[in-house]
Amino acid sequence: MKIAIQGVLGSFHHQVAQQYFGESIAVFGFNTFEEVAKSVENGTVDFAVMAIENSIAGAILPNYDIIDRHDLFVVDEYYLPISHNLMALPGQQLSAIREARSHPMALLQCKHFFASHPGILPVDDVDTAYVAKVIAEQKLQGLAAVASTKAAEYYGLEILARDIQTVKDNFTRFIILQKDKPAPGIAPTKASLKITVRNEKGVLAKLLTVMSEHDLDLTKIQSIPVMSKPWEYTFFIDTLIADEGQFKTAIDLIEAKYGNVKIFGAYQNRK
Amino acid sequence: MKIAIQGVLGSFHHQVAQQYFGESIAVFGFNTFEEVAKSVENGTVDFAVMAIENSIAGAILPNYDIIDRHDLFVVDEYYLPISHNLMALPGQQLSAIREARSHPMALLQCKHFFASHPGILPVDDVDTAYVAKVIAEQKLQGLAAVASTKAAEYYGLEILARDIQTVKDNFTRFIILQKDKPAPGIAPTKASLKITVRNEKGVLAKLLTVMSEHDLDLTKIQSIPVMSKPWEYTFFIDTLIADEGQFKTAIDLIEAKYGNVKIFGAYQNRK
């Protein structure tokens, strides 16, 4: 089975791909989420694993737009606990580490660790696993990466401090994508939608009232500027589904009264 | 006057900084938006120019979170028309260009141009101005960048095709940030807010109904996962203000009934 991810191997994406699909898969890393989506669309891979909500990689917010443009389907979601680890070339003591590089948000999430280790200077870099890769390839002494245990394992680095993040119960949400619409299975408890409405006074308030009245509890909403069509607004919405019948009724009502609904997927809530 | 931007010089950010503040400014380019915000917070620069909405750099969506964490103020907004240009080392004909590199969204926005120029292969890269910089520095023949006129000017490249974007009336919205709260001036017509509410059934619908009843027309809404506090939801909202008194009444009502409001700035709508 072929799985597409964004970024280098050893990343959080890589970890989720193996936890979700098992170890006997081929994982392909692409530079951009756009290329990940293209690889699913043109059949190069069977599935993609894509981060859609977390507090590290802010760049994941546009991913629903990418899913929309490539007409992919969301078949499932997966929550990975955020775990940051300080890692370096094997054989070094913690006291030998002078600098730690990682994504700025990862470093921010470990600020208590760095406050209690003033001898280690945290320095912003572009990615978490990428720093691990560079340390391993260039055999850089005295420098550490803040990344996943998967990155340490993949690049042969030694973990000097585990779970150094300040907040311990933080998760990243991933979605599993495929090209074809999945066959109906057991009743879905969550859905990802794109709703496009005419820009009329209070239309969003009315639309959300309809959803609330049908026991659809929003877990995410994001407006997308459609600047070339100033009379239209598009929203990406994730919602919990209490009852599938109520969900269908609400979608029909929204389509009849407010605008167009595209369902990226209706799946199981894993939280 | 010192202005911070994200990215290399010659970028759209650089262009906006000079159009807004004039030519006699010192512009400092930082690798990340996080560093841009820090430079404003610690007084290294006077202002920052930050993209907040467009269809190219998706990574700008987390910028309100960065503004929030660094307690910056939004003092104004600025709309730049999106203009993509094909540029290469001087003296080359369009027919000599075999490949064009840029940000994937920039290439996508120029798809009609590439469809009518099948001899030029569009290839995804990390940024627009960065490709221009690399072509100039490494003197790469046969390769073009898709970037701003500012990038061509800054790196001494020649524009072979102007305004090659498919949609002609597309804009990027930038905001101007400073450290201190601006003194009250003329009545604001737009505001940027962070609203944190308790996760109760239909609370967002009710909150937006209050806003609609006070003639506050939303131009942007984005939910932020507060995963370590599952009982709280945070929304970043931009709204037009029809009447400043109505705006203040609505904010008071929301604070009294639904949750906490932080105003990043109340300023002039420039659209």
Side-chain angles (χ1 to χ4, degrees):
Chain A
M1 203 184 291
K2 293 176 188 167
I3 314 294
I5 62 167
Q6 186 268 334
V8 299
L9 298 185
S11 64
F12 290 110
H13 278 98
H14 189 185
Q15 195 172 343
V16 171
Q18 292 199 325
Q19 288 179 11
Y20 188 86
F21 291 104
E23 298 283 326
S24 62
I25 55 170
V27 177
F28 299 85
F30 293 89
N31 281 333
T32 65
F33 285 114
E34 195 76 39
E35 290 167 276
V36 168
K38 278 180 197 166
S39 74
V40 179
E41 190 180 24
N42 65 27
T44 312
V45 299
D46 302 297
F47 296 95
V49 170
M50 191 182 266
I52 198 80
E53 271 172 41
N54 74 0
S55 41
I56 298 181
I60 63 180
L61 284 170
N63 282 356
Y64 274 136
D65 180 56
I66 292 174
I67 294 164
D68 183 30
R69 281 189 283 102
H70 293 277
D71 287 319
L72 305 183
F73 290 94
V74 180
V75 290
D76 208 344
E77 64 175 8
Y78 188 91
Y79 287 88
L80 182 76
I82 291 177
S83 164
H84 294 307
N85 307 276
L86 191 82
M87 59 195 68
L89 288 176
Q92 294 180 99
Q93 300 295 316
L94 187 58
S95 57
I97 304 301
R98 291 280 160 264
E99 189 176 304
R101 292 184 169 263
S102 192
H103 189 283
M105 281 305 296
L107 296 176
L108 199 70
Q109 290 177 353
C110 302
K111 65 179 175 186
H112 288 186
F113 176 84
F114 289 110
S116 61
H117 293 81
I120 305 175
L121 180 72
V123 176
D124 292 353
D125 211 313
V126 292
D127 184 33
T128 58
Y130 174 77
V131 177
K133 184 171 185 270
V134 169
I135 290 173
E137 285 176 356
Q138 303 181 12
K139 306 212 186 310
L140 301 173
Q141 302 274 344
L143 177 64
V146 173
S148 69
T149 54
K150 188 84 202 164
E153 184 192 312
Y154 199 80
Y155 296 110
L157 298 185
E158 193 174 318
I159 293 178
L160 296 175
R162 276 180 197 276
D163 281 326
I164 61 171
Q165 69 280 4
T166 305
V167 175
K168 302 295 179 191
D169 55 350
N170 213 346
F171 289 81
T172 299
R173 179 179 172 229
F174 294 80
I175 49 179
I176 314 298
L177 296 167
Q178 68 180 35
K179 185 183 178 177
D180 299 314
K181 187 173 181 172
I186 51 171
T189 52
K190 193 167 185 180
S192 297
L193 316 169
K194 175 189 174 187
I195 305 185
T196 304
V197 296
R198 295 191 70 83
N199 183 16
E200 293 164 358
K201 183 174 149 68
V203 64
L204 181 60
K206 291 174 193 165
L207 187 155
L208 296 186
T209 302
V210 168
M211 294 186 70
S212 173
E213 285 168 356
H214 291 79
D215 288 333
L216 300 173
D217 189 15
L218 265 62
T219 59
K220 173 172 177 166
I221 181 167
Q222 188 187 330
S223 66
I224 299 297
V226 191
M227 291 186 184
S228 59
K229 291 184 178 178
W231 57 92
E232 278 189 5
Y233 268 55
T234 292
F235 300 96
F236 292 134
I237 288 176
D238 284 352
T239 181
L240 300 179
I241 300 172
D243 176 273
E244 197 181 2
Q246 292 272 63
F247 170 66
K248 287 180 176 170
T249 308
I251 298 300
D252 289 346
L253 263 171
I254 292 168
E255 292 217 295
K257 292 174 74 172
Y258 301 114
N260 185 261
V261 180
K262 177 176 178 177
I263 302 176
F264 295 135
Y267 48 92
Q268 297 306 307
N269 174 28
R270 302 289 182 186
K271 203 177 180 181
Chain B
M1 202 185 292
K2 294 176 187 167
I3 313 294
I5 62 168
Q6 186 269 334
V8 298
L9 298 185
S11 65
F12 290 111
H13 278 96
H14 189 184
Q15 195 172 344
V16 171
Q18 292 200 323
Q19 288 178 11
Y20 188 85
F21 291 104
E23 298 283 327
S24 60
I25 54 170
V27 177
F28 298 85
F30 293 89
N31 281 333
T32 65
F33 284 114
E34 196 76 38
E35 290 167 277
V36 169
K38 278 180 197 167
S39 75
V40 179
E41 191 181 24
N42 64 26
T44 313
V45 299
D46 302 297
F47 296 95
V49 169
M50 191 182 266
I52 198 79
E53 272 171 42
N54 75 0
S55 41
I56 297 183
I60 62 179
L61 285 169
N63 282 356
Y64 274 135
D65 180 55
I66 291 173
I67 294 164
D68 184 28
R69 282 189 283 101
H70 294 277
D71 288 318
L72 305 184
F73 289 94
V74 180
V75 289
D76 208 344
E77 65 175 8
Y78 188 91
Y79 288 87
L80 182 75
I82 291 176
S83 165
H84 294 308
N85 307 276
L86 191 82
M87 59 195 67
L89 288 175
Q92 294 180 99
Q93 299 294 316
L94 187 57
S95 58
I97 305 301
R98 290 281 158 263
E99 191 175 304
R101 291 185 170 263
S102 192
H103 190 283
M105 281 305 296
L107 296 176
L108 200 69
Q109 290 177 353
C110 303
K111 66 179 175 185
H112 287 187
F113 175 83
F114 289 110
S116 61
H117 293 80
I120 305 175
L121 181 72
V123 175
D124 292 352
D125 210 313
V126 291
D127 184 33
T128 57
Y130 175 76
V131 177
K133 183 171 185 271
V134 170
I135 290 174
E137 285 175 357
Q138 302 181 12
K139 306 214 185 309
L140 301 172
Q141 301 275 344
L143 177 64
V146 174
S148 69
T149 54
K150 187 83 201 165
E153 183 192 313
Y154 199 80
Y155 296 110
L157 299 185
E158 192 175 317
I159 294 178
L160 297 174
R162 276 182 196 274
D163 281 325
I164 60 171
Q165 70 278 5
T166 304
V167 175
K168 302 295 178 188
D169 55 351
N170 214 345
F171 288 83
T172 300
R173 179 180 170 227
F174 294 79
I175 50 180
I176 313 299
L177 296 166
Q178 69 180 35
K179 185 183 179 178
D180 298 314
K181 187 172 180 174
I186 50 170
T189 51
K190 193 167 185 180
S192 297
L193 316 168
K194 175 189 174 188
I195 305 184
T196 304
V197 296
R198 295 190 71 80
N199 183 16
E200 293 164 358
K201 182 174 150 68
V203 64
L204 181 59
K206 290 173 194 165
L207 188 154
L208 296 186
T209 302
V210 168
M211 293 187 69
S212 172
E213 286 168 355
H214 292 80
D215 288 334
L216 300 172
D217 189 13
L218 266 61
T219 59
K220 172 171 178 166
I221 181 167
Q222 186 186 332
S223 66
I224 299 297
V226 191
M227 290 185 184
S228 59
K229 292 184 177 178
W231 58 91
E232 278 189 6
Y233 269 56
T234 293
F235 300 96
F236 292 134
I237 288 176
D238 284 351
T239 181
L240 299 180
I241 301 172
D243 175 273
E244 197 180 2
Q246 291 272 62
F247 170 66
K248 287 180 175 169
T249 307
I251 298 301
D252 289 347
L253 264 171
I254 291 168
E255 292 217 296
K257 293 174 73 173
Y258 301 112
N260 185 262
V261 181
K262 177 176 178 179
I263 301 177
F264 296 133
Y267 47 90
Q268 298 306 308
N269 173 29
R270 302 290 183 185
K271 203 178 180 181

